[in-house]
Amino acid sequence: MHFAQYYLDCLSQASYLIGDKTTGRAVLVDPRRDIDDYLHDAEAAGLRIELVIETHIHADFLSGHLELARATGATIAFGEAAETGFPIRRLRDGERLSLGADDGQGVTLTVLATPGHTLESICLVLREHPDDEVPFGVLTGDTLFVGDVGRPDLLSAAGHTPQDMAARLHRSLHTKLLTLPDATRVFPAHGAGSACGRSLSSETSSTIGAQRRFNYALQPMPVDDFIHLVTAGQPATPGYFAHDAALNRDGHPLLEPGPPPALTLDEALAARDQQGAVLLDCRPLAAYTRAHLTGSLHTSLDTRFAEYAGSVVTPGTPIVLLTDPGTEQEARLRLARIGYDHVLGHLPDPAAVLDRTPALSSRSRRVRHEELCLGEPQLAAIAETDEARTGGAEPADPIPTDSIPTDSIPTDSQPTDFMPADIQLIDVRNPAEYEAGALPGARNLPLAGLPHRIAELDPSRPVVLYCRSGNRSVIAAALLEAHGFAEVCDVIGGYEAVGAGTQ
């Protein structure tokens, strides 16, 4: 048997190439859209990809089933309940797929219908030989993760309540997956960081026995308790999820390779002003906060770039990339993996452009957690001191806290007890993070849902944003500034820094 897992860290997404070395027949499960690695490895191993299997209609990335079908002639297969806009093979519960020379020989996959995350969800039990008592493993898609189970509330299950889907998930787990031997390896479709669950492990494989023992959602409990457990505290759903689910269900244009064209500053600004394009700054956070084009959005390539971009950029919006030299192709590809193909071009070397056009640049307003106790006059004084220190020309890091008058900081209370009443303190973390501990007086508006809730904020009042470590809050601040909020800042180091500073 040939078995390979392909794990994409930036989307926490796993796909699998499985083949029978005797016959050269192979299947690919849950592929991403850029398929060159699969094709290269299959050719090197002497394998022919005959079938592309999707464990469900994905919402968090644009799958590569259409690209693979074109490149290899493979048939696309889904669970029997799937409804798609293109021809598929429907896989029935209990169906056996043999990669051997004859049915009942060679590497075998057995289909398990496991609705719950979505209606059409399936898992695939993999045996190197059809009569192996203990399977080599089970590909669990988004039904079972290492440390978690699939969330039952995504839009691809429209028309069914999260509670109904959670009940289905419970049945799938206990009547299908947990009947497998404990030694059966578990190979999920996602790992830590994915918004498809809330407690996913960084481990990319496990066993049924380990999950039976340690997975919080598989512990003995009444069904109603399970339903409550898996429907509460799930991460906010990024805005692109519904878009990707529709494209994966109905069909999408095939991936077109190649770097985006280079644009001049005038062309980039014209695209923004005349075509409604978003200027998306992809540089590292430190570079963006020091200086950026006023009104640009931000998400760095060294973070969960595509997911965060899909959280703040509406699907279908034209995009101009602001990237460090040599990174524009990576940025375009990572956007394409979530179906954001409308990239008009990129602005080469934005740092040099900003140096030449200081009137078009802004710097991010950031505060340390010690400064949260200051009232608006002190915050304004800090900003004025910063402006005086830089002369308005060279962006600077936040003012050191030792420059703040100590007699303005109360010493007998927590800093957030003294936040001015008119400041809007916003926690952009996910609900479970917020419920585990938050700054007093903070409202929870998760980053993924912020574009649809901006109207809940008053643009005439100052906004202070924080997240766990200071990354999502910068992305959120850029979004608010692009929507005309004049007084926005975020907390350096986020909630972790505040907690460390108060110990």
Side-chain angles (χ1 to χ4, degrees):
M1 181 174 66
H2 178 95
F3 179 86
Q5 180 190 68
Y6 299 81
Y7 193 79
L8 193 62
D9 285 312
C10 60
L11 285 173
S12 305
Q13 185 263 333
S15 49
Y16 299 89
L17 176 63
I18 301 162
D20 189 309
K21 295 179 181 178
T22 302
T23 63
R25 302 173 65 193
V27 301
L28 195 53
V29 181
D30 291 338
R32 62 180 185 259
R33 201 176 175 199
D34 46 310
I35 62 173
D36 288 350
D37 286 348
Y38 309 132
L39 299 179
H40 176 272
D41 290 355
E43 181 179 10
L47 299 174
R48 302 181 310 276
I49 300 172
E50 298 181 353
L51 192 63
V52 180
I53 303 176
E54 298 288 4
T55 57
H56 61 291
I57 296 173
H58 300 281
D60 57 307
F61 71 101
L62 203 56
S63 184
H65 47 259
L66 296 179
E67 283 81 2
L68 277 163
R70 179 183 67 172
T72 67
T75 299
I76 300 169
F78 280 82
E80 193 171 21
E83 297 293 338
T84 65
F86 46 87
I88 61 170
R89 174 178 172 181
R90 298 181 184 278
L91 301 178
R92 302 182 309 276
D93 184 37
E95 183 174 353
R96 300 185 77 176
L97 308 174
S98 174
L99 300 181
D102 299 304
D103 287 344
Q105 294 183 3
V107 175
T108 302
L109 296 93
T110 303
V111 178
L112 302 180
T114 52
H117 176 64
T118 65
L119 291 173
E120 75 287 344
S121 289
I122 59 173
C123 296
L124 300 167
V125 180
L126 175 61
R127 289 179 168 86
E128 188 167 5
H129 310 98
D131 56 354
D132 287 344
E133 183 176 349
V134 177
F136 172 84
V138 56
L139 278 60
T140 56
D142 282 19
T143 298
L144 173 64
F145 301 123
V146 179
D148 205 350
V149 296
R151 60 187 298 174
D153 62 333
L154 292 183
L155 296 178
S156 52
H160 296 266
T161 67
Q163 290 73 26
D164 171 55
M165 297 301 291
R168 293 170 185 254
L169 179 63
H170 185 273
R171 287 194 295 272
S172 294
L173 292 166
H174 288 271
T175 66
K176 299 288 182 68
L177 292 179
L178 291 181
T179 65
L180 296 170
D182 279 355
T184 306
R185 300 173 181 87
V186 171
F187 298 104
H190 294 293
S194 170
C196 293
R198 66 180 186 185
S199 300
L200 282 71
S201 169
S202 59
E203 299 294 326
T204 58
S205 66
S206 182
T207 65
I208 288 291
Q211 292 311 293
R212 192 192 311 275
R213 182 178 178 186
F214 297 115
N215 191 314
Y216 77 96
L218 301 184
Q219 302 312 300
M221 69 184 80
V223 175
D224 287 346
D225 289 354
F226 173 87
I227 292 172
H228 175 74
L229 187 65
V230 300
T231 55
Q234 291 287 357
T237 304
Y240 75 92
F241 270 34
H243 172 72
D244 279 21
L247 292 177
N248 283 326
R249 180 189 65 236
D250 301 332
H252 56 77
L254 299 178
L255 177 65
E256 294 295 336
L263 303 178
T264 66
L265 176 60
D266 287 343
E267 289 172 331
L269 297 178
R272 179 194 66 187
D273 298 337
Q274 299 172 19
Q275 300 182 54
V278 163
L279 305 181
L280 183 61
D281 196 317
C282 315
R283 297 174 299 150
L285 182 147
Y288 171 83
T289 56
R290 280 196 298 268
H292 56 265
L293 280 174
T294 301
S296 60
L297 298 183
H298 170 68
T299 175
S300 173
L301 282 169
D302 57 12
T303 65
R304 300 184 66 80
F305 171 73
E307 179 182 324
Y308 291 150
S311 296
V312 296
V313 179
T314 303
T317 302
I319 296 172
V320 173
L321 301 171
L322 312 181
T323 59
D324 284 333
T327 63
E328 60 275 2
Q329 172 62 0
E330 179 186 357
R332 181 181 187 178
L333 174 60
R334 289 170 68 174
L335 289 174
R337 287 173 176 158
I338 64 165
Y340 278 43
D341 291 345
H342 201 179
V343 175
L344 301 179
H346 74 105
L347 181 66
D349 200 0
V353 172
L354 291 165
D355 285 342
R356 296 193 301 267
T357 57
L360 299 178
S361 71
S362 300
R363 67 177 178 278
S364 298
R365 175 75 190 287
R366 312 197 74 195
V367 296
R368 291 183 172 86
H369 68 87
E370 297 96 331
E371 300 169 32
L372 290 179
C373 61
L374 300 178
E376 185 178 2
Q378 287 80 14
L379 291 173
I382 293 169
E384 291 171 2
T385 304
D386 199 16
E387 181 72 10
R389 184 162 65 97
T390 63
E394 184 67 22
D397 292 329
I399 290 291
T401 51
D402 58 11
S403 68
I404 302 170
T406 55
D407 59 3
S408 69
I409 303 177
T411 58
D412 57 348
S413 300
Q414 297 296 330
T416 47
D417 292 339
F418 291 85
M419 292 292 294
D422 62 341
I423 281 184
Q424 303 168 96
L425 180 61
I426 306 300
D427 185 326
V428 298
R429 298 176 299 163
N430 284 314
E433 296 174 278
Y434 176 78
E435 291 165 7
L439 299 183
R443 292 178 57 196
N444 185 215
L445 296 181
L447 175 64
L450 186 58
H452 305 292
R453 301 183 65 181
I454 288 179
E456 298 178 25
L457 300 175
D458 184 350
S460 68
R461 294 168 52 199
V463 179
V464 176
L465 302 152
Y466 73 93
C467 60
R468 180 180 63 86
S469 60
N471 180 44
R472 284 171 287 178
S473 57
V474 171
I475 299 170
L479 178 67
L480 294 185
E481 290 169 358
H483 279 77
F485 284 70
E487 296 183 75
V488 181
C489 68
D490 85 294
V491 180
I492 298 172
Y495 189 74
E496 288 182 345
V498 176
T502 57
Q503 291 177 354

Short mmCIF file of all heavy atoms in Angstrom, two decimals, residues 9 26 46 63 75 93 98 109 113 156 191 246 318 334 351 366 377 389 398 428 434 479 494:
data_model
loop_
_atom_site.label_atom_id
_atom_site.label_comp_id
_atom_site.label_asym_id
_atom_site.label_seq_id
_atom_site.Cartn_x
_atom_site.Cartn_y
_atom_site.Cartn_z
N ASP A 9 -0.23 23.57 6.62
CA ASP A 9 -0.28 24.26 7.91
C ASP A 9 -1.12 25.52 7.87
O ASP A 9 -1.85 25.82 8.83
CB ASP A 9 1.14 24.61 8.37
CG ASP A 9 1.91 23.40 8.89
OD1 ASP A 9 1.35 22.65 9.70
OD2 ASP A 9 3.05 23.19 8.45
N ALA A 26 -5.07 4.24 -7.64
CA ALA A 26 -5.00 5.13 -6.48
C ALA A 26 -6.24 6.00 -6.37
O ALA A 26 -6.95 6.25 -7.36
CB ALA A 26 -3.76 6.01 -6.56
N GLY A 46 4.39 5.44 -9.44
CA GLY A 46 3.79 4.58 -10.44
C GLY A 46 2.29 4.38 -10.23
O GLY A 46 1.75 3.31 -10.53
N SER A 63 -11.84 23.00 -2.82
CA SER A 63 -11.26 21.69 -3.08
C SER A 63 -10.77 21.58 -4.51
O SER A 63 -11.22 22.30 -5.41
CB SER A 63 -12.29 20.61 -2.78
OG SER A 63 -11.72 19.33 -2.92
N THR A 75 -12.69 10.08 -11.67
CA THR A 75 -14.09 10.30 -11.31
C THR A 75 -14.14 10.99 -9.95
O THR A 75 -13.33 10.70 -9.06
CB THR A 75 -14.84 8.96 -11.24
OG1 THR A 75 -14.80 8.34 -12.52
CG2 THR A 75 -16.28 9.15 -10.80
N ASP A 93 -23.36 3.88 1.98
CA ASP A 93 -22.92 3.40 3.28
C ASP A 93 -22.60 1.91 3.18
O ASP A 93 -23.41 1.10 2.70
CB ASP A 93 -24.02 3.64 4.32
CG ASP A 93 -23.59 3.24 5.72
OD1 ASP A 93 -22.41 3.45 6.06
OD2 ASP A 93 -24.43 2.71 6.48
N SER A 98 -12.31 -1.36 -3.95
CA SER A 98 -11.09 -2.15 -4.03
C SER A 98 -10.15 -1.55 -5.06
O SER A 98 -10.55 -1.19 -6.17
CB SER A 98 -11.42 -3.60 -4.42
OG SER A 98 -10.23 -4.34 -4.63
N LEU A 109 -11.06 0.27 0.64
CA LEU A 109 -11.67 1.32 1.46
C LEU A 109 -13.15 1.01 1.62
O LEU A 109 -13.84 0.68 0.64
CB LEU A 109 -11.52 2.70 0.81
CG LEU A 109 -10.10 3.24 0.63
CD1 LEU A 109 -9.56 2.87 -0.75
CD2 LEU A 109 -10.06 4.75 0.81
N ALA A 113 -21.25 6.12 6.08
CA ALA A 113 -22.03 7.36 6.08
C ALA A 113 -22.07 7.89 7.51
O ALA A 113 -22.52 7.21 8.43
CB ALA A 113 -23.44 7.09 5.58
N SER A 156 -23.30 24.73 5.38
CA SER A 156 -23.53 23.66 4.40
C SER A 156 -24.62 22.70 4.87
O SER A 156 -25.11 21.89 4.09
CB SER A 156 -22.23 22.90 4.14
OG SER A 156 -21.64 22.48 5.35
N GLY A 191 -6.54 20.02 11.53
CA GLY A 191 -5.84 20.04 12.80
C GLY A 191 -6.00 21.37 13.49
O GLY A 191 -6.86 22.19 13.13
N ALA A 246 -20.59 26.80 -1.43
CA ALA A 246 -21.36 26.88 -2.67
C ALA A 246 -20.51 26.51 -3.88
O ALA A 246 -20.96 25.79 -4.78
CB ALA A 246 -21.94 28.29 -2.83
N PRO A 318 -12.59 42.64 -5.84
CA PRO A 318 -11.26 42.72 -6.47
C PRO A 318 -10.20 43.04 -5.42
O PRO A 318 -10.45 43.78 -4.47
CB PRO A 318 -11.40 43.87 -7.48
CG PRO A 318 -12.87 44.05 -7.67
CD PRO A 318 -13.53 43.64 -6.39
N ARG A 334 -2.40 31.35 -2.08
CA ARG A 334 -3.10 31.10 -0.82
C ARG A 334 -4.50 31.68 -0.83
O ARG A 334 -5.42 31.11 -0.24
CB ARG A 334 -2.25 31.61 0.35
CG ARG A 334 -1.03 30.73 0.57
CD ARG A 334 -0.03 31.30 1.55
NE ARG A 334 -0.55 31.32 2.91
CZ ARG A 334 0.18 31.68 3.96
NH1 ARG A 334 1.46 32.01 3.80
NH2 ARG A 334 -0.34 31.69 5.17
N ALA A 351 7.07 49.04 0.86
CA ALA A 351 7.84 49.84 1.81
C ALA A 351 8.55 50.99 1.10
O ALA A 351 8.56 52.13 1.60
CB ALA A 351 8.86 48.96 2.53
N ARG A 366 -1.08 51.72 18.53
CA ARG A 366 -1.03 50.56 19.41
C ARG A 366 -0.72 51.02 20.82
O ARG A 366 0.04 51.97 21.02
CB ARG A 366 0.01 49.54 18.94
CG ARG A 366 -0.06 49.21 17.45
CD ARG A 366 0.69 47.95 17.13
NE ARG A 366 -0.05 46.78 17.58
CZ ARG A 366 0.47 45.56 17.69
NH1 ARG A 366 1.77 45.37 17.42
NH2 ARG A 366 -0.26 44.54 18.10
N PRO A 377 -7.83 61.82 27.78
CA PRO A 377 -6.82 62.90 27.68
C PRO A 377 -5.39 62.35 27.68
O PRO A 377 -4.55 62.81 26.93
CB PRO A 377 -7.10 63.75 28.93
CG PRO A 377 -8.54 63.49 29.24
CD PRO A 377 -8.76 62.05 28.90
N ARG A 389 7.60 63.25 18.57
CA ARG A 389 8.85 62.50 18.54
C ARG A 389 9.25 62.14 17.12
O ARG A 389 10.43 62.10 16.79
CB ARG A 389 8.71 61.23 19.41
CG ARG A 389 9.97 60.41 19.53
CD ARG A 389 9.88 59.47 20.72
NE ARG A 389 8.85 58.48 20.54
CZ ARG A 389 9.06 57.24 20.09
NH1 ARG A 389 10.28 56.88 19.76
NH2 ARG A 389 8.08 56.37 19.97
N PRO A 398 5.19 52.23 19.60
CA PRO A 398 4.48 52.94 20.65
C PRO A 398 5.43 53.57 21.66
O PRO A 398 6.55 53.11 21.86
CB PRO A 398 3.63 51.84 21.29
CG PRO A 398 3.50 50.79 20.23
CD PRO A 398 4.79 50.84 19.47
N VAL A 428 -11.78 40.64 20.08
CA VAL A 428 -12.05 40.04 18.77
C VAL A 428 -11.69 38.55 18.73
O VAL A 428 -11.61 37.96 17.65
CB VAL A 428 -11.32 40.80 17.64
CG1 VAL A 428 -11.80 42.23 17.56
CG2 VAL A 428 -9.80 40.74 17.82
N TYR A 434 -13.18 34.08 24.80
CA TYR A 434 -13.77 35.17 25.58
C TYR A 434 -14.39 34.64 26.87
O TYR A 434 -14.22 35.24 27.95
CB TYR A 434 -14.81 35.87 24.71
CG TYR A 434 -15.60 36.97 25.40
CD1 TYR A 434 -15.05 38.22 25.59
CD2 TYR A 434 -16.90 36.74 25.82
CE1 TYR A 434 -15.76 39.24 26.20
CE2 TYR A 434 -17.64 37.75 26.43
CZ TYR A 434 -17.06 38.99 26.63
OH TYR A 434 -17.79 39.98 27.23
N LEU A 479 -9.49 47.02 9.52
CA LEU A 479 -10.85 46.97 8.97
C LEU A 479 -11.67 48.18 9.42
O LEU A 479 -12.35 48.83 8.61
CB LEU A 479 -11.53 45.68 9.40
CG LEU A 479 -12.97 45.49 8.94
CD1 LEU A 479 -13.04 45.33 7.43
CD2 LEU A 479 -13.61 44.28 9.64
N GLY A 494 -1.90 41.57 23.29
CA GLY A 494 -3.23 41.08 23.57
C GLY A 494 -3.47 40.65 25.00
O GLY A 494 -2.82 41.11 25.94
#
